[in-house]
Amino acid sequence: MPANAGIACDIFCAVIDNFGDIGVCWRLARQLSSEHGWQVRVFVDDLHAFQKLCPALDVDRSRQTVSGIVVEHWHEPAHVGDTLEVADVVIEAFGCEVPHVYVAAMARRESAPVWLNLEYLSAEDWVADFHLRQSPHPRYPLTKTFFFPGLGAGTGGVLKERHLDAARAAFEASPQTRDAWWRQTTGQPAPGPDSTVISLFSYENPAVDSLLDQWRDNPTPIVLLVPEGRISGAAARFFGLPPTSFAAGSHVERGSLRAHALAFTEQPAYDALLWASHLNFVRGEDSFVRAQWAARPFVWHIYPQADAAHLPKLDAALAHYAGPMPAEAHAALARFWHAWNGVGNPDWADFQRHRATLERRAAEWALELAALGDLAGNLAGFTKSQLK
Ligand code: TRH
């Protein structure tokens, strides 16, 4: 039996936009349930966003069980499900507010639940100082603890399932599995060894046209895999297609570039796309983390904020990830990441020149990051110390 068998946990998730809020919560929920034996309920206010990553979900049901996890459609702000049963552990994700009636019930509970505010991931140094800081409730005998994901020592780390490395190794070791993946995903066999495979998951990005031009003119073939989404319109425009014509299942070729539009997959299937690629363009929070576990070079489109507040966060991540790299390769990586985030123009040849160094560093970094312990395990360990 898992050490924490029977712990009940409620996770509250308000979807601000896109898929990262529910993406992180759902991954955490699945891991607390499957690896730690917790009984997890997820309260989420947007079942449509959720269904994109979890097609088994029925968007019309206010309460359902998926993969052993209870999912409640959270009708903001007061609804807390049919019962007011308060869990042992209450996680409010990304500063969303737990309903007042629920907080009042937490205060009435015989033993106060462990109340965690799971924050957004940031690689900035201050995160280690704030991780596990506590804040007493102004009226009730309750204390909230701030749990900060991070890329450095003293933070909560990032999510990583126990089976992940083995699953990646199995995919990489089996040409049959990879070929089957290519045929199922693109309708074509795996490309030859002279091709560079790139996955592109990104927000709208003005730098994409220049990059597509450079890939078209590349001396060797480039195979681009684009999950349907916010960058698809720009890709269609580049290939001279009507805006919605670069749809899942279609592919198009120009010069050295062959681009496939892919269907958005359920969340557990996204990793194989990263493993099938030599280079991954990722965004937001959860895909950014998955690219690191894929142990391949990646380019991060950070979630853009007003007044360029995201740029110091981008540089903080670069400092962790690229810090020990040789100066020239480090500078090329920083230039490319900056260009992808609106500062400068992406220079593909300059970036590719350092491919071997970037590949080595990606593999090294995955080991360094793993040394922090995974977020679900760190969170379960902290909770256990509080429930004693
Ligand atoms: O979608 P994102 O941009 O999400 C967010 C939100 O914008 C959020 O408000 C913001 O604060 C946060 O980023 C930082 O990017 P992210 O985090 O990578 O989430 C995407 C999820 O979608 C991730 O869990 C992987 C998943 N996914 C699939 O399940 N199938 C797919 O085919 C693809 C491409 C992604």
PDB file of all heavy atoms in Angstrom, residues 199-235:
ATOM      1  N   SER A 199       8.819  19.829 -33.326  1.00  0.00           N
ATOM      2  CA  SER A 199       7.409  20.023 -32.940  1.00  0.00           C
ATOM      3  C   SER A 199       7.208  21.496 -32.597  1.00  0.00           C
ATOM      4  O   SER A 199       8.095  22.138 -32.030  1.00  0.00           O
ATOM      5  CB  SER A 199       7.025  19.121 -31.766  1.00  0.00           C
ATOM      6  OG  SER A 199       7.462  19.658 -30.537  1.00  0.00           O
ATOM      7  N   LEU A 200       6.046  22.009 -32.938  1.00  0.00           N
ATOM      8  CA  LEU A 200       5.789  23.449 -32.788  1.00  0.00           C
ATOM      9  C   LEU A 200       4.469  23.670 -32.046  1.00  0.00           C
ATOM     10  O   LEU A 200       3.393  23.606 -32.631  1.00  0.00           O
ATOM     11  CB  LEU A 200       5.743  24.096 -34.171  1.00  0.00           C
ATOM     12  CG  LEU A 200       5.520  25.610 -34.234  1.00  0.00           C
ATOM     13  CD1 LEU A 200       6.652  26.376 -33.562  1.00  0.00           C
ATOM     14  CD2 LEU A 200       5.382  26.073 -35.682  1.00  0.00           C
ATOM     15  N   PHE A 201       4.582  23.915 -30.740  1.00  0.00           N
ATOM     16  CA  PHE A 201       3.417  24.239 -29.904  1.00  0.00           C
ATOM     17  C   PHE A 201       3.697  25.638 -29.353  1.00  0.00           C
ATOM     18  O   PHE A 201       4.623  25.830 -28.569  1.00  0.00           O
ATOM     19  CB  PHE A 201       3.285  23.208 -28.791  1.00  0.00           C
ATOM     20  CG  PHE A 201       2.093  23.409 -27.885  1.00  0.00           C
ATOM     21  CD1 PHE A 201       0.828  23.680 -28.392  1.00  0.00           C
ATOM     22  CD2 PHE A 201       2.233  23.311 -26.498  1.00  0.00           C
ATOM     23  CE1 PHE A 201      -0.272  23.857 -27.550  1.00  0.00           C
ATOM     24  CE2 PHE A 201       1.137  23.476 -25.645  1.00  0.00           C
ATOM     25  CZ  PHE A 201      -0.104  23.748 -26.170  1.00  0.00           C
ATOM     26  N   SER A 202       2.896  26.601 -29.791  1.00  0.00           N
ATOM     27  CA  SER A 202       3.274  27.987 -29.529  1.00  0.00           C
ATOM     28  C   SER A 202       2.036  28.880 -29.556  1.00  0.00           C
ATOM     29  O   SER A 202       1.005  28.509 -30.112  1.00  0.00           O
ATOM     30  CB  SER A 202       4.254  28.397 -30.636  1.00  0.00           C
ATOM     31  OG  SER A 202       4.321  29.779 -30.785  1.00  0.00           O
ATOM     32  N   TYR A 203       2.161  30.056 -28.958  1.00  0.00           N
ATOM     33  CA  TYR A 203       1.145  31.087 -29.154  1.00  0.00           C
ATOM     34  C   TYR A 203       1.396  31.722 -30.517  1.00  0.00           C
ATOM     35  O   TYR A 203       2.399  31.434 -31.177  1.00  0.00           O
ATOM     36  CB  TYR A 203       1.252  32.162 -28.064  1.00  0.00           C
ATOM     37  CG  TYR A 203       1.253  31.602 -26.655  1.00  0.00           C
ATOM     38  CD1 TYR A 203       2.368  31.708 -25.830  1.00  0.00           C
ATOM     39  CD2 TYR A 203       0.133  30.942 -26.155  1.00  0.00           C
ATOM     40  CE1 TYR A 203       2.372  31.189 -24.536  1.00  0.00           C
ATOM     41  CE2 TYR A 203       0.123  30.420 -24.864  1.00  0.00           C
ATOM     42  CZ  TYR A 203       1.243  30.540 -24.068  1.00  0.00           C
ATOM     43  OH  TYR A 203       1.237  30.020 -22.809  1.00  0.00           O
ATOM     44  N   GLU A 204       0.516  32.642 -30.930  1.00  0.00           N
ATOM     45  CA  GLU A 204       0.775  33.416 -32.134  1.00  0.00           C
ATOM     46  C   GLU A 204       2.166  34.041 -31.967  1.00  0.00           C
ATOM     47  O   GLU A 204       2.518  34.487 -30.867  1.00  0.00           O
ATOM     48  CB  GLU A 204      -0.250  34.551 -32.300  1.00  0.00           C
ATOM     49  CG  GLU A 204      -1.668  34.098 -32.546  1.00  0.00           C
ATOM     50  CD  GLU A 204      -2.409  33.686 -31.267  1.00  0.00           C
ATOM     51  OE1 GLU A 204      -1.824  33.754 -30.159  1.00  0.00           O
ATOM     52  OE2 GLU A 204      -3.587  33.287 -31.374  1.00  0.00           O
ATOM     53  N   ASN A 205       2.945  34.071 -33.061  1.00  0.00           N
ATOM     54  CA  ASN A 205       4.326  34.504 -32.890  1.00  0.00           C
ATOM     55  C   ASN A 205       4.841  35.139 -34.184  1.00  0.00           C
ATOM     56  O   ASN A 205       4.972  34.467 -35.201  1.00  0.00           O
ATOM     57  CB  ASN A 205       5.186  33.290 -32.520  1.00  0.00           C
ATOM     58  CG  ASN A 205       6.552  33.681 -32.011  1.00  0.00           C
ATOM     59  OD1 ASN A 205       7.167  34.608 -32.520  1.00  0.00           O
ATOM     60  ND2 ASN A 205       7.005  32.979 -30.993  1.00  0.00           N
ATOM     61  N   PRO A 206       5.142  36.445 -34.143  1.00  0.00           N
ATOM     62  CA  PRO A 206       5.570  37.124 -35.366  1.00  0.00           C
ATOM     63  C   PRO A 206       6.867  36.549 -35.945  1.00  0.00           C
ATOM     64  O   PRO A 206       7.147  36.732 -37.133  1.00  0.00           O
ATOM     65  CB  PRO A 206       5.785  38.584 -34.933  1.00  0.00           C
ATOM     66  CG  PRO A 206       5.380  38.673 -33.516  1.00  0.00           C
ATOM     67  CD  PRO A 206       5.064  37.325 -32.969  1.00  0.00           C
ATOM     68  N   ALA A 207       7.655  35.850 -35.140  1.00  0.00           N
ATOM     69  CA  ALA A 207       8.937  35.320 -35.635  1.00  0.00           C
ATOM     70  C   ALA A 207       8.747  34.067 -36.487  1.00  0.00           C
ATOM     71  O   ALA A 207       9.699  33.593 -37.110  1.00  0.00           O
ATOM     72  CB  ALA A 207       9.853  35.005 -34.450  1.00  0.00           C
ATOM     73  N   VAL A 208       7.525  33.545 -36.542  1.00  0.00           N
ATOM     74  CA  VAL A 208       7.351  32.246 -37.200  1.00  0.00           C
ATOM     75  C   VAL A 208       7.578  32.330 -38.710  1.00  0.00           C
ATOM     76  O   VAL A 208       8.108  31.397 -39.317  1.00  0.00           O
ATOM     77  CB  VAL A 208       5.974  31.608 -36.851  1.00  0.00           C
ATOM     78  CG1 VAL A 208       4.834  32.240 -37.618  1.00  0.00           C
ATOM     79  CG2 VAL A 208       6.010  30.103 -37.098  1.00  0.00           C
ATOM     80  N   ASP A 209       7.208  33.460 -39.328  1.00  0.00           N
ATOM     81  CA  ASP A 209       7.360  33.561 -40.782  1.00  0.00           C
ATOM     82  C   ASP A 209       8.821  33.459 -41.194  1.00  0.00           C
ATOM     83  O   ASP A 209       9.173  32.744 -42.136  1.00  0.00           O
ATOM     84  CB  ASP A 209       6.763  34.883 -41.294  1.00  0.00           C
ATOM     85  CG  ASP A 209       5.242  34.869 -41.188  1.00  0.00           C
ATOM     86  OD1 ASP A 209       4.659  33.811 -41.496  1.00  0.00           O
ATOM     87  OD2 ASP A 209       4.661  35.880 -40.766  1.00  0.00           O
ATOM     88  N   SER A 210       9.668  34.171 -40.467  1.00  0.00           N
ATOM     89  CA  SER A 210      11.097  34.152 -40.783  1.00  0.00           C
ATOM     90  C   SER A 210      11.655  32.735 -40.597  1.00  0.00           C
ATOM     91  O   SER A 210      12.439  32.243 -41.412  1.00  0.00           O
ATOM     92  CB  SER A 210      11.815  35.160 -39.884  1.00  0.00           C
ATOM     93  OG  SER A 210      13.127  34.767 -39.659  1.00  0.00           O
ATOM     94  N   LEU A 211      11.220  32.075 -39.546  1.00  0.00           N
ATOM     95  CA  LEU A 211      11.723  30.719 -39.281  1.00  0.00           C
ATOM     96  C   LEU A 211      11.252  29.728 -40.353  1.00  0.00           C
ATOM     97  O   LEU A 211      12.028  28.889 -40.831  1.00  0.00           O
ATOM     98  CB  LEU A 211      11.238  30.297 -37.893  1.00  0.00           C
ATOM     99  CG  LEU A 211      12.137  29.378 -37.094  1.00  0.00           C
ATOM    100  CD1 LEU A 211      13.597  29.775 -37.142  1.00  0.00           C
ATOM    101  CD2 LEU A 211      11.658  29.341 -35.646  1.00  0.00           C
ATOM    102  N   LEU A 212       9.996  29.865 -40.759  1.00  0.00           N
ATOM    103  CA  LEU A 212       9.485  28.975 -41.815  1.00  0.00           C
ATOM    104  C   LEU A 212      10.258  29.192 -43.119  1.00  0.00           C
ATOM    105  O   LEU A 212      10.591  28.237 -43.829  1.00  0.00           O
ATOM    106  CB  LEU A 212       7.980  29.202 -42.017  1.00  0.00           C
ATOM    107  CG  LEU A 212       7.085  28.700 -40.873  1.00  0.00           C
ATOM    108  CD1 LEU A 212       5.670  29.234 -41.014  1.00  0.00           C
ATOM    109  CD2 LEU A 212       7.067  27.175 -40.805  1.00  0.00           C
ATOM    110  N   ASP A 213      10.581  30.462 -43.409  1.00  0.00           N
ATOM    111  CA  ASP A 213      11.417  30.770 -44.587  1.00  0.00           C
ATOM    112  C   ASP A 213      12.756  30.042 -44.500  1.00  0.00           C
ATOM    113  O   ASP A 213      13.213  29.436 -45.466  1.00  0.00           O
ATOM    114  CB  ASP A 213      11.749  32.282 -44.617  1.00  0.00           C
ATOM    115  CG  ASP A 213      10.682  33.088 -45.339  1.00  0.00           C
ATOM    116  OD1 ASP A 213      10.003  32.519 -46.200  1.00  0.00           O
ATOM    117  OD2 ASP A 213      10.542  34.294 -45.017  1.00  0.00           O
ATOM    118  N   GLN A 214      13.376  30.124 -43.310  1.00  0.00           N
ATOM    119  CA  GLN A 214      14.711  29.523 -43.134  1.00  0.00           C
ATOM    120  C   GLN A 214      14.636  27.995 -43.213  1.00  0.00           C
ATOM    121  O   GLN A 214      15.532  27.359 -43.767  1.00  0.00           O
ATOM    122  CB  GLN A 214      15.310  29.976 -41.810  1.00  0.00           C
ATOM    123  CG  GLN A 214      15.587  31.476 -41.761  1.00  0.00           C
ATOM    124  CD  GLN A 214      16.074  31.930 -40.383  1.00  0.00           C
ATOM    125  OE1 GLN A 214      17.114  31.504 -39.908  1.00  0.00           O
ATOM    126  NE2 GLN A 214      15.308  32.802 -39.746  1.00  0.00           N
ATOM    127  N   TRP A 215      13.572  27.416 -42.693  1.00  0.00           N
ATOM    128  CA  TRP A 215      13.422  25.955 -42.754  1.00  0.00           C
ATOM    129  C   TRP A 215      13.180  25.500 -44.196  1.00  0.00           C
ATOM    130  O   TRP A 215      13.705  24.488 -44.630  1.00  0.00           O
ATOM    131  CB  TRP A 215      12.279  25.502 -41.839  1.00  0.00           C
ATOM    132  CG  TRP A 215      12.633  25.598 -40.379  1.00  0.00           C
ATOM    133  CD1 TRP A 215      13.884  25.597 -39.838  1.00  0.00           C
ATOM    134  CD2 TRP A 215      11.734  25.703 -39.260  1.00  0.00           C
ATOM    135  NE1 TRP A 215      13.819  25.703 -38.464  1.00  0.00           N
ATOM    136  CE2 TRP A 215      12.521  25.760 -38.082  1.00  0.00           C
ATOM    137  CE3 TRP A 215      10.343  25.762 -39.128  1.00  0.00           C
ATOM    138  CZ2 TRP A 215      11.959  25.863 -36.805  1.00  0.00           C
ATOM    139  CZ3 TRP A 215       9.783  25.856 -37.863  1.00  0.00           C
ATOM    140  CH2 TRP A 215      10.583  25.909 -36.715  1.00  0.00           C
ATOM    141  N   ARG A 216      12.391  26.299 -44.938  1.00  0.00           N
ATOM    142  CA  ARG A 216      12.142  25.961 -46.341  1.00  0.00           C
ATOM    143  C   ARG A 216      13.462  25.916 -47.114  1.00  0.00           C
ATOM    144  O   ARG A 216      13.664  25.069 -47.991  1.00  0.00           O
ATOM    145  CB  ARG A 216      11.199  27.017 -46.948  1.00  0.00           C
ATOM    146  CG  ARG A 216      10.864  26.783 -48.422  1.00  0.00           C
ATOM    147  CD  ARG A 216      10.317  28.061 -49.042  1.00  0.00           C
ATOM    148  NE  ARG A 216      11.266  29.166 -48.832  1.00  0.00           N
ATOM    149  CZ  ARG A 216      10.940  30.448 -48.722  1.00  0.00           C
ATOM    150  NH1 ARG A 216       9.681  30.831 -48.795  1.00  0.00           N
ATOM    151  NH2 ARG A 216      11.871  31.380 -48.534  1.00  0.00           N
ATOM    152  N   ASP A 217      14.372  26.820 -46.767  1.00  0.00           N
ATOM    153  CA  ASP A 217      15.638  26.921 -47.498  1.00  0.00           C
ATOM    154  C   ASP A 217      16.770  26.129 -46.843  1.00  0.00           C
ATOM    155  O   ASP A 217      17.938  26.275 -47.234  1.00  0.00           O
ATOM    156  CB  ASP A 217      16.050  28.410 -47.588  1.00  0.00           C
ATOM    157  CG  ASP A 217      14.989  29.225 -48.317  1.00  0.00           C
ATOM    158  OD1 ASP A 217      14.221  28.631 -49.104  1.00  0.00           O
ATOM    159  OD2 ASP A 217      14.900  30.450 -48.076  1.00  0.00           O
ATOM    160  N   ASN A 218      16.460  25.319 -45.861  1.00  0.00           N
ATOM    161  CA  ASN A 218      17.501  24.563 -45.141  1.00  0.00           C
ATOM    162  C   ASN A 218      18.181  23.566 -46.086  1.00  0.00           C
ATOM    163  O   ASN A 218      17.539  23.004 -46.971  1.00  0.00           O
ATOM    164  CB  ASN A 218      16.822  23.795 -43.985  1.00  0.00           C
ATOM    165  CG  ASN A 218      17.794  23.387 -42.903  1.00  0.00           C
ATOM    166  OD1 ASN A 218      18.486  24.226 -42.343  1.00  0.00           O
ATOM    167  ND2 ASN A 218      17.854  22.091 -42.619  1.00  0.00           N
ATOM    168  N   PRO A 219      19.501  23.335 -45.908  1.00  0.00           N
ATOM    169  CA  PRO A 219      20.182  22.385 -46.802  1.00  0.00           C
ATOM    170  C   PRO A 219      19.702  20.937 -46.639  1.00  0.00           C
ATOM    171  O   PRO A 219      19.861  20.134 -47.562  1.00  0.00           O
ATOM    172  CB  PRO A 219      21.661  22.506 -46.400  1.00  0.00           C
ATOM    173  CG  PRO A 219      21.716  23.343 -45.178  1.00  0.00           C
ATOM    174  CD  PRO A 219      20.420  24.063 -45.032  1.00  0.00           C
ATOM    175  N   THR A 220      19.151  20.578 -45.498  1.00  0.00           N
ATOM    176  CA  THR A 220      18.651  19.205 -45.289  1.00  0.00           C
ATOM    177  C   THR A 220      17.160  19.278 -44.923  1.00  0.00           C
ATOM    178  O   THR A 220      16.672  20.338 -44.512  1.00  0.00           O
ATOM    179  CB  THR A 220      19.428  18.509 -44.145  1.00  0.00           C
ATOM    180  OG1 THR A 220      19.347  19.345 -42.995  1.00  0.00           O
ATOM    181  CG2 THR A 220      20.882  18.276 -44.517  1.00  0.00           C
ATOM    182  N   PRO A 221      16.443  18.134 -45.059  1.00  0.00           N
ATOM    183  CA  PRO A 221      14.987  18.183 -44.832  1.00  0.00           C
ATOM    184  C   PRO A 221      14.600  18.518 -43.384  1.00  0.00           C
ATOM    185  O   PRO A 221      15.257  18.085 -42.439  1.00  0.00           O
ATOM    186  CB  PRO A 221      14.528  16.750 -45.165  1.00  0.00           C
ATOM    187  CG  PRO A 221      15.655  16.104 -45.887  1.00  0.00           C
ATOM    188  CD  PRO A 221      16.906  16.801 -45.491  1.00  0.00           C
ATOM    189  N   ILE A 222      13.538  19.259 -43.272  1.00  0.00           N
ATOM    190  CA  ILE A 222      12.945  19.577 -41.965  1.00  0.00           C
ATOM    191  C   ILE A 222      11.517  19.036 -41.987  1.00  0.00           C
ATOM    192  O   ILE A 222      10.753  19.305 -42.916  1.00  0.00           O
ATOM    193  CB  ILE A 222      12.847  21.102 -41.734  1.00  0.00           C
ATOM    194  CG1 ILE A 222      14.202  21.796 -41.848  1.00  0.00           C
ATOM    195  CG2 ILE A 222      12.136  21.423 -40.426  1.00  0.00           C
ATOM    196  CD1 ILE A 222      14.953  22.001 -40.587  1.00  0.00           C
ATOM    197  N   VAL A 223      11.168  18.277 -40.944  1.00  0.00           N
ATOM    198  CA  VAL A 223       9.789  17.804 -40.812  1.00  0.00           C
ATOM    199  C   VAL A 223       9.189  18.516 -39.602  1.00  0.00           C
ATOM    200  O   VAL A 223       9.680  18.370 -38.469  1.00  0.00           O
ATOM    201  CB  VAL A 223       9.720  16.272 -40.622  1.00  0.00           C
ATOM    202  CG1 VAL A 223       8.274  15.825 -40.441  1.00  0.00           C
ATOM    203  CG2 VAL A 223      10.356  15.568 -41.809  1.00  0.00           C
ATOM    204  N   LEU A 224       8.161  19.299 -39.847  1.00  0.00           N
ATOM    205  CA  LEU A 224       7.566  20.129 -38.800  1.00  0.00           C
ATOM    206  C   LEU A 224       6.226  19.527 -38.379  1.00  0.00           C
ATOM    207  O   LEU A 224       5.369  19.266 -39.235  1.00  0.00           O
ATOM    208  CB  LEU A 224       7.370  21.547 -39.351  1.00  0.00           C
ATOM    209  CG  LEU A 224       6.869  22.593 -38.382  1.00  0.00           C
ATOM    210  CD1 LEU A 224       7.881  22.840 -37.267  1.00  0.00           C
ATOM    211  CD2 LEU A 224       6.594  23.909 -39.126  1.00  0.00           C
ATOM    212  N   LEU A 225       6.047  19.341 -37.068  1.00  0.00           N
ATOM    213  CA  LEU A 225       4.810  18.752 -36.548  1.00  0.00           C
ATOM    214  C   LEU A 225       4.085  19.819 -35.734  1.00  0.00           C
ATOM    215  O   LEU A 225       4.617  20.302 -34.721  1.00  0.00           O
ATOM    216  CB  LEU A 225       5.144  17.537 -35.679  1.00  0.00           C
ATOM    217  CG  LEU A 225       5.976  16.441 -36.378  1.00  0.00           C
ATOM    218  CD1 LEU A 225       6.378  15.342 -35.402  1.00  0.00           C
ATOM    219  CD2 LEU A 225       5.204  15.850 -37.558  1.00  0.00           C
ATOM    220  N   VAL A 226       2.897  20.192 -36.183  1.00  0.00           N
ATOM    221  CA  VAL A 226       2.200  21.330 -35.570  1.00  0.00           C
ATOM    222  C   VAL A 226       0.847  20.897 -35.005  1.00  0.00           C
ATOM    223  O   VAL A 226      -0.111  20.702 -35.772  1.00  0.00           O
ATOM    224  CB  VAL A 226       1.958  22.452 -36.609  1.00  0.00           C
ATOM    225  CG1 VAL A 226       1.466  23.719 -35.929  1.00  0.00           C
ATOM    226  CG2 VAL A 226       3.198  22.730 -37.435  1.00  0.00           C
ATOM    227  N   PRO A 227       0.736  20.734 -33.676  1.00  0.00           N
ATOM    228  CA  PRO A 227      -0.588  20.452 -33.122  1.00  0.00           C
ATOM    229  C   PRO A 227      -1.525  21.622 -33.432  1.00  0.00           C
ATOM    230  O   PRO A 227      -1.118  22.779 -33.333  1.00  0.00           O
ATOM    231  CB  PRO A 227      -0.350  20.345 -31.614  1.00  0.00           C
ATOM    232  CG  PRO A 227       1.126  20.222 -31.442  1.00  0.00           C
ATOM    233  CD  PRO A 227       1.767  20.856 -32.646  1.00  0.00           C
ATOM    234  N   GLU A 228      -2.745  21.317 -33.789  1.00  0.00           N
ATOM    235  CA  GLU A 228      -3.713  22.368 -34.139  1.00  0.00           C
ATOM    236  C   GLU A 228      -3.847  23.358 -32.994  1.00  0.00           C
ATOM    237  O   GLU A 228      -3.994  22.948 -31.838  1.00  0.00           O
ATOM    238  CB  GLU A 228      -5.090  21.731 -34.369  1.00  0.00           C
ATOM    239  CG  GLU A 228      -5.381  21.453 -35.815  1.00  0.00           C
ATOM    240  CD  GLU A 228      -6.820  21.036 -36.008  1.00  0.00           C
ATOM    241  OE1 GLU A 228      -7.301  20.189 -35.229  1.00  0.00           O
ATOM    242  OE2 GLU A 228      -7.455  21.555 -36.932  1.00  0.00           O
ATOM    243  N   GLY A 229      -3.800  24.639 -33.303  1.00  0.00           N
ATOM    244  CA  GLY A 229      -3.921  25.621 -32.227  1.00  0.00           C
ATOM    245  C   GLY A 229      -3.604  27.017 -32.705  1.00  0.00           C
ATOM    246  O   GLY A 229      -3.787  27.349 -33.881  1.00  0.00           O
ATOM    247  N   ARG A 230      -3.067  27.823 -31.798  1.00  0.00           N
ATOM    248  CA  ARG A 230      -2.964  29.263 -32.032  1.00  0.00           C
ATOM    249  C   ARG A 230      -1.946  29.645 -33.107  1.00  0.00           C
ATOM    250  O   ARG A 230      -1.985  30.751 -33.619  1.00  0.00           O
ATOM    251  CB  ARG A 230      -2.672  29.963 -30.699  1.00  0.00           C
ATOM    252  CG  ARG A 230      -3.887  29.881 -29.777  1.00  0.00           C
ATOM    253  CD  ARG A 230      -3.641  30.456 -28.405  1.00  0.00           C
ATOM    254  NE  ARG A 230      -3.148  31.821 -28.440  1.00  0.00           N
ATOM    255  CZ  ARG A 230      -2.928  32.548 -27.351  1.00  0.00           C
ATOM    256  NH1 ARG A 230      -3.181  32.029 -26.164  1.00  0.00           N
ATOM    257  NH2 ARG A 230      -2.460  33.773 -27.452  1.00  0.00           N
ATOM    258  N   ILE A 231      -1.038  28.741 -33.468  1.00  0.00           N
ATOM    259  CA  ILE A 231      -0.039  29.060 -34.499  1.00  0.00           C
ATOM    260  C   ILE A 231      -0.479  28.529 -35.877  1.00  0.00           C
ATOM    261  O   ILE A 231       0.125  28.848 -36.897  1.00  0.00           O
ATOM    262  CB  ILE A 231       1.348  28.485 -34.085  1.00  0.00           C
ATOM    263  CG1 ILE A 231       2.511  29.122 -34.843  1.00  0.00           C
ATOM    264  CG2 ILE A 231       1.401  26.967 -34.231  1.00  0.00           C
ATOM    265  CD1 ILE A 231       3.004  30.398 -34.276  1.00  0.00           C
ATOM    266  N   SER A 232      -1.572  27.752 -35.900  1.00  0.00           N
ATOM    267  CA  SER A 232      -1.977  27.085 -37.151  1.00  0.00           C
ATOM    268  C   SER A 232      -2.336  28.090 -38.250  1.00  0.00           C
ATOM    269  O   SER A 232      -2.045  27.852 -39.430  1.00  0.00           O
ATOM    270  CB  SER A 232      -3.177  26.172 -36.907  1.00  0.00           C
ATOM    271  OG  SER A 232      -2.866  25.209 -35.936  1.00  0.00           O
ATOM    272  N   GLY A 233      -2.953  29.200 -37.875  1.00  0.00           N
ATOM    273  CA  GLY A 233      -3.355  30.202 -38.871  1.00  0.00           C
ATOM    274  C   GLY A 233      -2.138  30.777 -39.584  1.00  0.00           C
ATOM    275  O   GLY A 233      -2.129  30.946 -40.816  1.00  0.00           O
ATOM    276  N   ALA A 234      -1.079  31.054 -38.816  1.00  0.00           N
ATOM    277  CA  ALA A 234       0.144  31.615 -39.406  1.00  0.00           C
ATOM    278  C   ALA A 234       0.791  30.601 -40.342  1.00  0.00           C
ATOM    279  O   ALA A 234       1.304  30.957 -41.409  1.00  0.00           O
ATOM    280  CB  ALA A 234       1.120  32.019 -38.301  1.00  0.00           C
ATOM    281  N   ALA A 235       0.759  29.338 -39.962  1.00  0.00           N
ATOM    282  CA  ALA A 235       1.335  28.295 -40.817  1.00  0.00           C
ATOM    283  C   ALA A 235       0.541  28.217 -42.123  1.00  0.00           C
ATOM    284  O   ALA A 235       1.124  28.154 -43.212  1.00  0.00           O
ATOM    285  CB  ALA A 235       1.325  26.953 -40.089  1.00  0.00           C
TER     286      ALA A 235
END
